[in-house]
Amino acid sequence: MNPIQSITNYIWANPVESLGVALGLLCVWLLVKENIWNWPIGIANNILYIYIFDRSGLYADMWLQFVYIAIAIYGWWNWLHGGKGNSELKTTHAAPAALGGYSALAAVTTAILCLTLRRYTPSTVPFTDGLTVALFLTAQYMMSRKIVENWWFWILGNVIAIGLYIYKDLLGTAILYGVFVVLCLMGLREWRKAARQDAVAASEIAVDVSA
C-alpha cells in the first residue's frame, strides 16, 4: 500500500481525529500570523479533542480542553481590547522574573496534576500527561497576553507529547504535534520580529508625544 493510500485510509478510519488535526494545524498557523481567528478555530479544535482524549484515557488532556476554551475566550477578548485604552494588544517579551514565575507555575501544576491523576484516574502515564498539560496551560495563558516566550513552552510540551501520543497509538495526533514543533519555531521567529516592531512604534509615539 502506498503512503497516500495509507493516509487516506487512516483519515476515513479516524474522521474525528483527522478533523481535529486539520483544525489544529489551521489554528497554530493563524497564531503564527497573529490572526484573531485562531481563537474560534482553536475552540472548535478543543471540543473535538475532548471526545478524542476521553476515548484514549488521556484524562488530564481531556480536562485541559475545557480550560483551553476558557482561556481562548479571554485571549480573544484580550487581543482585541487588552492594549492601552482598550486598543489592540501588542506583542511583548516577558521579564526574567516573570519568566521564572511562569516556569515555577508549570512545575507546581505538573506536581498537582500528577498526584491527582495517580489517585483519581486510571491514567497509565500520570507524570507525562500532567507535564504536558502544565506546559500547555502556561503557554496558552502567555499566548493570550501576547508574550513571545510562550513559544518555548509550546515547543517543549509538543516534543514530549509526540512520544506520549505514539505510545497511545494516536498516530495522526503525533504527526500533528511534530508539525506543531515546526510551526512553533516559525511563531517564535515571527513574534520576536513583531515585538521589535511594536517596541519601535511605541518609542516613536513616545517621542512624538514628548515633542
Side-chain angles (χ1 to χ4, degrees):
M1 185 180 296
N2 62 60
I4 295 178
Q5 185 63 47
S6 297
I7 293 171
T8 301
N9 290 344
Y10 187 88
I11 291 173
W12 281 110
N14 302 275
V16 177
E17 185 186 358
S18 298
L19 180 57
V21 167
L23 290 177
L25 285 170
L26 178 58
C27 177
V28 177
W29 175 253
L30 292 172
L31 280 167
V32 169
K33 298 300 181 181
E34 296 186 81
N35 188 305
I36 195 68
W37 282 97
N38 83 85
W39 297 112
I41 296 296
I43 290 171
N45 175 263
N46 298 146
I47 292 170
L48 288 176
Y49 271 95
I50 289 170
Y51 171 79
I52 293 169
F53 289 140
D54 179 54
R55 288 178 60 86
S56 300
L58 294 171
Y59 302 107
D61 281 327
M62 180 192 71
W63 286 107
L64 173 63
Q65 305 309 307
F66 290 100
V67 182
Y68 273 169
I69 291 171
I71 296 176
I73 293 170
Y74 165 74
W76 195 348
W77 181 91
N78 201 43
W79 276 32
L80 290 172
H81 307 291
K84 291 183 178 179
N86 289 327
S87 63
E88 181 180 343
L89 187 66
K90 303 300 181 183
T91 308
T92 59
H93 287 278
L99 195 56
Y102 287 127
S103 299
L105 175 64
V108 170
T109 304
T110 298
I112 293 172
L113 288 172
C114 182
L115 291 172
T116 301
L117 289 168
R118 282 178 175 168
R119 184 163 185 175
Y120 298 109
T121 77
S123 175
T124 57
V125 284
F127 174 74
T128 310
D129 199 7
L131 175 59
T132 55
V133 167
L135 289 170
F136 292 156
L137 272 176
T138 305
Q140 181 81 346
Y141 178 71
M142 294 172 70
M143 181 166 283
S144 74
R145 299 181 66 81
K146 277 199 174 181
I147 297 172
V148 173
E149 288 75 16
N150 80 85
W151 292 108
W152 288 115
F153 287 81
W154 284 118
I155 290 167
L156 178 57
N158 286 331
V159 169
I160 296 170
I162 290 169
L164 176 61
Y165 296 143
I166 290 174
Y167 174 74
K168 285 292 185 176
D169 200 30
L170 292 171
L171 180 59
T173 301
I175 293 172
L176 170 66
Y177 276 69
V179 178
F180 278 170
V181 172
V182 176
L183 290 174
C184 286
L185 291 170
M186 293 171 59
L188 179 62
R189 182 187 63 187
E190 292 293 324
W191 281 41
R192 280 174 170 172
K193 185 188 304 182
R196 287 194 298 269
Q197 293 171 346
D198 287 346
V200 170
S203 298
E204 291 175 348
I205 292 173
V207 169
D208 290 341
V209 171
S210 63

